[in-house]
Amino acid sequence: MTISLKPEHEHFIQSQIETGQYTNPDEVISEAFKLLFQRENRLKELREKIAIGTQQIAQGQIQDGEAVFAMLQRKIDGMANSEELF
């Protein structure tokens, strides 16, 4: 496969090599693909979580936001109070 890069992409790759973090263009491209794969996996996970949440909402499995925040605040307060004992 042959790929043509835009001049700005070539400049970016060269600047990354000049930092010393990478020794050649292949390393820069490999890192870029690694980050792209990670991003795609995170997006997939988020979409799955959103689908689950949407299904739970449709089934009426929801909690009041204010009640959740109040519960979290009580937990934080409890943790802060327990730390004062030490």
Side-chain angles (χ1 to χ4, degrees):
M1 173 185 300
T2 302
I3 298 174
S4 299
L5 296 174
K6 294 180 181 180
E8 59 267 23
H9 295 153
E10 288 182 22
H11 177 70
F12 178 76
I13 290 170
Q14 190 58 41
S15 70
Q16 294 302 301
I17 294 168
E18 289 170 3
T19 68
Q21 187 173 355
Y22 304 97
T23 59
N24 59 56
D26 287 338
E27 287 182 3
V28 179
I29 299 296
S30 290
E31 181 68 15
F33 275 111
K34 176 182 153 190
L35 293 171
L36 180 61
F37 287 135
Q38 288 174 352
R39 186 185 84 175
E40 291 300 316
N41 285 335
R42 281 189 297 234
L43 287 173
K44 180 182 174 193
E45 290 172 5
L46 286 173
R47 286 184 187 109
E48 290 170 356
K49 288 179 181 183
I50 289 169
I52 291 169
T54 302
Q55 184 179 13
Q56 289 173 336
I57 290 170
Q59 295 173 351
Q61 301 172 337
I62 59 174
Q63 291 187 358
D64 178 61
E66 289 183 25
V68 171
F69 283 116
M71 177 191 67
L72 292 171
Q73 188 61 53
R74 286 192 301 274
K75 286 184 177 184
I76 291 169
D77 293 343
M79 289 172 25
N81 291 336
S82 67
E83 289 176 2
E84 292 174 5
L85 298 175
F86 296 103

